[in-house]
Amino acid sequence: MIIASGSLAVAQDTPPVTPAPQYFTLNLSAGVSLISAPLNTGPGLARDSFLGLPTQWPVFFGWNPAAQDWVSGNTVPAGLAGGYWVYVPTPTTLVVAGQPYSYFTSVTKHIDPGWHLFGVPFEEGVGWQDFHLFASGNPIGL
């Protein structure tokens, strides 16, 4: 920011304003659930994005499509449209803190042949009638 007054100009370095985090709650039943983070939680591990995972029992996995193998929660990174399997022994409430993915209505990812695990990066669910998958620009039925 530059402030000019007559023949005197002063430059100030103003840091960008970081918006306060928003919160999203996931209420899980006991057992296995497929989850995703509807908020951008920033870089880091995916399991750290879900506050409230019990430390003594959680089983948390992502998927590595290049290796076609499971990835332990201790190494799977957080990211846009990431899907994760989690096991909790009792009903558990998880909280995700971050910023909404607000400037898009669809997600495009390059994928290679094989299995993939995706999550919905929106705060509202997506009905099957609104979910579309394309390969080389051609629609694929589910």
Side-chain angles (χ1 to χ4, degrees):
M1 174 191 322
I2 298 177
I3 302 172
S5 174
S7 63
L8 179 64
V10 178
Q12 291 182 333
D13 189 14
T14 306
V17 176
T18 303
Q22 294 185 20
Y23 298 93
F24 189 86
T25 303
L26 297 167
N27 294 307
L28 305 181
S29 301
V32 178
S33 297
L34 180 60
I35 63 173
S36 63
L39 299 172
N40 182 353
T41 60
L45 295 177
R47 85 181 289 152
D48 294 338
S49 299
F50 300 94
L51 307 175
L53 279 173
T55 56
Q56 70 278 14
W57 255 107
V59 177
F60 189 96
F61 284 96
W63 181 255
N64 180 338
Q68 291 291 291
D69 198 9
W70 296 106
V71 179
S72 164
N74 296 326
T75 59
V76 65
L80 175 64
Y84 314 101
W85 285 106
V86 62
Y87 166 80
V88 290
T90 60
T92 302
T93 297
L94 303 181
V95 175
V96 179
Q99 296 300 318
Y101 291 109
S102 60
Y103 297 104
F104 60 88
T105 57
S106 65
V107 176
T108 301
K109 291 187 108 175
H110 172 78
I111 59 172
D112 292 315
W115 288 102
H116 294 269
L117 180 58
F118 295 106
V120 177
F122 308 116
E123 294 182 58
E124 298 294 325
V126 177
W128 282 112
Q129 71 277 7
D130 297 321
F131 186 86
H132 303 284
L133 184 62
F134 295 85
S136 302
N138 301 310
I140 297 175
L142 299 175

mmCIF file with all atom_site columns, all heavy atoms in Angstrom, residues 29-44:
data_model
loop_
_atom_site.group_PDB
_atom_site.id
_atom_site.type_symbol
_atom_site.label_atom_id
_atom_site.label_alt_id
_atom_site.label_comp_id
_atom_site.label_asym_id
_atom_site.label_entity_id
_atom_site.label_seq_id
_atom_site.pdbx_PDB_ins_code
_atom_site.Cartn_x
_atom_site.Cartn_y
_atom_site.Cartn_z
_atom_site.occupancy
_atom_site.B_iso_or_equiv
_atom_site.pdbx_formal_charge
_atom_site.auth_seq_id
_atom_site.auth_comp_id
_atom_site.auth_asym_id
_atom_site.auth_atom_id
_atom_site.pdbx_PDB_model_num
ATOM 1   N N   . SER A 1 29 ? -21.137 -43.181 12.412 1.00 0.00 ? 29 SER A N   1
ATOM 2   C CA  . SER A 1 29 ? -21.579 -44.332 13.191 1.00 0.00 ? 29 SER A CA  1
ATOM 3   C C   . SER A 1 29 ? -20.361 -45.194 13.481 1.00 0.00 ? 29 SER A C   1
ATOM 4   O O   . SER A 1 29 ? -19.339 -45.090 12.804 1.00 0.00 ? 29 SER A O   1
ATOM 5   C CB  . SER A 1 29 ? -22.598 -45.147 12.391 1.00 0.00 ? 29 SER A CB  1
ATOM 6   O OG  . SER A 1 29 ? -23.708 -44.356 12.064 1.00 0.00 ? 29 SER A OG  1
ATOM 7   N N   . ALA A 1 30 ? -20.481 -46.071 14.474 1.00 0.00 ? 30 ALA A N   1
ATOM 8   C CA  . ALA A 1 30 ? -19.399 -47.017 14.729 1.00 0.00 ? 30 ALA A CA  1
ATOM 9   C C   . ALA A 1 30 ? -19.227 -47.901 13.501 1.00 0.00 ? 30 ALA A C   1
ATOM 10  O O   . ALA A 1 30 ? -20.189 -48.268 12.838 1.00 0.00 ? 30 ALA A O   1
ATOM 11  C CB  . ALA A 1 30 ? -19.725 -47.867 15.953 1.00 0.00 ? 30 ALA A CB  1
ATOM 12  N N   . GLY A 1 31 ? -17.985 -48.201 13.179 1.00 0.00 ? 31 GLY A N   1
ATOM 13  C CA  . GLY A 1 31 ? -17.707 -49.064 12.038 1.00 0.00 ? 31 GLY A CA  1
ATOM 14  C C   . GLY A 1 31 ? -16.910 -48.323 10.973 1.00 0.00 ? 31 GLY A C   1
ATOM 15  O O   . GLY A 1 31 ? -16.198 -47.369 11.259 1.00 0.00 ? 31 GLY A O   1
ATOM 16  N N   . VAL A 1 32 ? -17.065 -48.783 9.738  1.00 0.00 ? 32 VAL A N   1
ATOM 17  C CA  . VAL A 1 32 ? -16.298 -48.246 8.620  1.00 0.00 ? 32 VAL A CA  1
ATOM 18  C C   . VAL A 1 32 ? -17.117 -47.192 7.884  1.00 0.00 ? 32 VAL A C   1
ATOM 19  O O   . VAL A 1 32 ? -18.303 -47.393 7.619  1.00 0.00 ? 32 VAL A O   1
ATOM 20  C CB  . VAL A 1 32 ? -15.911 -49.390 7.643  1.00 0.00 ? 32 VAL A CB  1
ATOM 21  C CG1 . VAL A 1 32 ? -15.166 -48.842 6.445  1.00 0.00 ? 32 VAL A CG1 1
ATOM 22  C CG2 . VAL A 1 32 ? -15.063 -50.430 8.367  1.00 0.00 ? 32 VAL A CG2 1
ATOM 23  N N   . SER A 1 33 ? -16.469 -46.078 7.545  1.00 0.00 ? 33 SER A N   1
ATOM 24  C CA  . SER A 1 33 ? -17.114 -45.002 6.785  1.00 0.00 ? 33 SER A CA  1
ATOM 25  C C   . SER A 1 33 ? -16.178 -44.520 5.686  1.00 0.00 ? 33 SER A C   1
ATOM 26  O O   . SER A 1 33 ? -14.953 -44.558 5.836  1.00 0.00 ? 33 SER A O   1
ATOM 27  C CB  . SER A 1 33 ? -17.439 -43.803 7.686  1.00 0.00 ? 33 SER A CB  1
ATOM 28  O OG  . SER A 1 33 ? -18.358 -44.142 8.680  1.00 0.00 ? 33 SER A OG  1
ATOM 29  N N   . LEU A 1 34 ? -16.759 -44.068 4.597  1.00 0.00 ? 34 LEU A N   1
ATOM 30  C CA  . LEU A 1 34 ? -16.022 -43.422 3.519  1.00 0.00 ? 34 LEU A CA  1
ATOM 31  C C   . LEU A 1 34 ? -16.247 -41.923 3.689  1.00 0.00 ? 34 LEU A C   1
ATOM 32  O O   . LEU A 1 34 ? -17.390 -41.469 3.688  1.00 0.00 ? 34 LEU A O   1
ATOM 33  C CB  . LEU A 1 34 ? -16.533 -43.902 2.154  1.00 0.00 ? 34 LEU A CB  1
ATOM 34  C CG  . LEU A 1 34 ? -15.866 -43.306 0.926  1.00 0.00 ? 34 LEU A CG  1
ATOM 35  C CD1 . LEU A 1 34 ? -14.375 -43.599 0.903  1.00 0.00 ? 34 LEU A CD1 1
ATOM 36  C CD2 . LEU A 1 34 ? -16.530 -43.855 -0.336 1.00 0.00 ? 34 LEU A CD2 1
ATOM 37  N N   . ILE A 1 35 ? -15.171 -41.157 3.892  1.00 0.00 ? 35 ILE A N   1
ATOM 38  C CA  . ILE A 1 35 ? -15.308 -39.736 4.184  1.00 0.00 ? 35 ILE A CA  1
ATOM 39  C C   . ILE A 1 35 ? -14.456 -38.898 3.242  1.00 0.00 ? 35 ILE A C   1
ATOM 40  O O   . ILE A 1 35 ? -13.558 -39.409 2.565  1.00 0.00 ? 35 ILE A O   1
ATOM 41  C CB  . ILE A 1 35 ? -14.915 -39.413 5.651  1.00 0.00 ? 35 ILE A CB  1
ATOM 42  C CG1 . ILE A 1 35 ? -13.450 -39.738 5.920  1.00 0.00 ? 35 ILE A CG1 1
ATOM 43  C CG2 . ILE A 1 35 ? -15.839 -40.138 6.625  1.00 0.00 ? 35 ILE A CG2 1
ATOM 44  C CD1 . ILE A 1 35 ? -12.947 -39.296 7.291  1.00 0.00 ? 35 ILE A CD1 1
ATOM 45  N N   . SER A 1 36 ? -14.742 -37.600 3.195  1.00 0.00 ? 36 SER A N   1
ATOM 46  C CA  . SER A 1 36 ? -13.920 -36.632 2.477  1.00 0.00 ? 36 SER A CA  1
ATOM 47  C C   . SER A 1 36 ? -14.010 -35.312 3.223  1.00 0.00 ? 36 SER A C   1
ATOM 48  O O   . SER A 1 36 ? -14.898 -35.113 4.043  1.00 0.00 ? 36 SER A O   1
ATOM 49  C CB  . SER A 1 36 ? -14.393 -36.476 1.031  1.00 0.00 ? 36 SER A CB  1
ATOM 50  O OG  . SER A 1 36 ? -15.703 -35.967 0.983  1.00 0.00 ? 36 SER A OG  1
ATOM 51  N N   . ALA A 1 37 ? -13.083 -34.413 2.938  1.00 0.00 ? 37 ALA A N   1
ATOM 52  C CA  . ALA A 1 37 ? -13.075 -33.099 3.581  1.00 0.00 ? 37 ALA A CA  1
ATOM 53  C C   . ALA A 1 37 ? -13.742 -32.097 2.646  1.00 0.00 ? 37 ALA A C   1
ATOM 54  O O   . ALA A 1 37 ? -13.234 -31.839 1.567  1.00 0.00 ? 37 ALA A O   1
ATOM 55  C CB  . ALA A 1 37 ? -11.644 -32.662 3.901  1.00 0.00 ? 37 ALA A CB  1
ATOM 56  N N   . PRO A 1 38 ? -14.869 -31.528 3.056  1.00 0.00 ? 38 PRO A N   1
ATOM 57  C CA  . PRO A 1 38 ? -15.557 -30.561 2.204  1.00 0.00 ? 38 PRO A CA  1
ATOM 58  C C   . PRO A 1 38 ? -14.947 -29.162 2.284  1.00 0.00 ? 38 PRO A C   1
ATOM 59  O O   . PRO A 1 38 ? -15.446 -28.241 1.664  1.00 0.00 ? 38 PRO A O   1
ATOM 60  C CB  . PRO A 1 38 ? -16.976 -30.569 2.759  1.00 0.00 ? 38 PRO A CB  1
ATOM 61  C CG  . PRO A 1 38 ? -16.788 -30.878 4.200  1.00 0.00 ? 38 PRO A CG  1
ATOM 62  C CD  . PRO A 1 38 ? -15.622 -31.829 4.256  1.00 0.00 ? 38 PRO A CD  1
ATOM 63  N N   . LEU A 1 39 ? -13.873 -29.019 3.049  1.00 0.00 ? 39 LEU A N   1
ATOM 64  C CA  . LEU A 1 39 ? -13.180 -27.734 3.173  1.00 0.00 ? 39 LEU A CA  1
ATOM 65  C C   . LEU A 1 39 ? -11.713 -27.923 2.825  1.00 0.00 ? 39 LEU A C   1
ATOM 66  O O   . LEU A 1 39 ? -11.144 -28.995 3.030  1.00 0.00 ? 39 LEU A O   1
ATOM 67  C CB  . LEU A 1 39 ? -13.295 -27.200 4.604  1.00 0.00 ? 39 LEU A CB  1
ATOM 68  C CG  . LEU A 1 39 ? -14.705 -26.927 5.115  1.00 0.00 ? 39 LEU A CG  1
ATOM 69  C CD1 . LEU A 1 39 ? -14.663 -26.593 6.609  1.00 0.00 ? 39 LEU A CD1 1
ATOM 70  C CD2 . LEU A 1 39 ? -15.349 -25.798 4.337  1.00 0.00 ? 39 LEU A CD2 1
ATOM 71  N N   . ASN A 1 40 ? -11.089 -26.879 2.328  1.00 0.00 ? 40 ASN A N   1
ATOM 72  C CA  . ASN A 1 40 ? -9.661  -26.910 2.041  1.00 0.00 ? 40 ASN A CA  1
ATOM 73  C C   . ASN A 1 40 ? -8.924  -26.770 3.359  1.00 0.00 ? 40 ASN A C   1
ATOM 74  O O   . ASN A 1 40 ? -8.945  -25.714 3.982  1.00 0.00 ? 40 ASN A O   1
ATOM 75  C CB  . ASN A 1 40 ? -9.304  -25.767 1.091  1.00 0.00 ? 40 ASN A CB  1
ATOM 76  C CG  . ASN A 1 40 ? -7.841  -25.771 0.710  1.00 0.00 ? 40 ASN A CG  1
ATOM 77  O OD1 . ASN A 1 40 ? -7.052  -26.540 1.235  1.00 0.00 ? 40 ASN A OD1 1
ATOM 78  N ND2 . ASN A 1 40 ? -7.489  -24.905 -0.214 1.00 0.00 ? 40 ASN A ND2 1
ATOM 79  N N   . THR A 1 41 ? -8.275  -27.825 3.786  1.00 0.00 ? 41 THR A N   1
ATOM 80  C CA  . THR A 1 41 ? -7.591  -27.836 5.071  1.00 0.00 ? 41 THR A CA  1
ATOM 81  C C   . THR A 1 41 ? -6.116  -27.474 4.939  1.00 0.00 ? 41 THR A C   1
ATOM 82  O O   . THR A 1 41 ? -5.395  -27.460 5.926  1.00 0.00 ? 41 THR A O   1
ATOM 83  C CB  . THR A 1 41 ? -7.719  -29.221 5.731  1.00 0.00 ? 41 THR A CB  1
ATOM 84  O OG1 . THR A 1 41 ? -7.134  -30.200 4.869  1.00 0.00 ? 41 THR A OG1 1
ATOM 85  C CG2 . THR A 1 41 ? -9.174  -29.561 6.004  1.00 0.00 ? 41 THR A CG2 1
ATOM 86  N N   . GLY A 1 42 ? -5.674  -27.201 3.722  1.00 0.00 ? 42 GLY A N   1
ATOM 87  C CA  . GLY A 1 42 ? -4.280  -26.841 3.491  1.00 0.00 ? 42 GLY A CA  1
ATOM 88  C C   . GLY A 1 42 ? -3.413  -28.079 3.348  1.00 0.00 ? 42 GLY A C   1
ATOM 89  O O   . GLY A 1 42 ? -3.892  -29.200 3.308  1.00 0.00 ? 42 GLY A O   1
ATOM 90  N N   . PRO A 1 43 ? -2.095  -27.852 3.270  1.00 0.00 ? 43 PRO A N   1
ATOM 91  C CA  . PRO A 1 43 ? -1.181  -28.995 3.110  1.00 0.00 ? 43 PRO A CA  1
ATOM 92  C C   . PRO A 1 43 ? -1.087  -29.791 4.411  1.00 0.00 ? 43 PRO A C   1
ATOM 93  O O   . PRO A 1 43 ? -1.436  -29.300 5.478  1.00 0.00 ? 43 PRO A O   1
ATOM 94  C CB  . PRO A 1 43 ? 0.152   -28.321 2.776  1.00 0.00 ? 43 PRO A CB  1
ATOM 95  C CG  . PRO A 1 43 ? 0.056   -26.977 3.416  1.00 0.00 ? 43 PRO A CG  1
ATOM 96  C CD  . PRO A 1 43 ? -1.400  -26.580 3.323  1.00 0.00 ? 43 PRO A CD  1
ATOM 97  N N   . GLY A 1 44 ? -0.628  -30.990 4.312  1.00 0.00 ? 44 GLY A N   1
ATOM 98  C CA  . GLY A 1 44 ? -0.460  -31.837 5.494  1.00 0.00 ? 44 GLY A CA  1
ATOM 99  C C   . GLY A 1 44 ? -1.061  -33.201 5.260  1.00 0.00 ? 44 GLY A C   1
ATOM 100 O O   . GLY A 1 44 ? -1.442  -33.553 4.140  1.00 0.00 ? 44 GLY A O   1
#
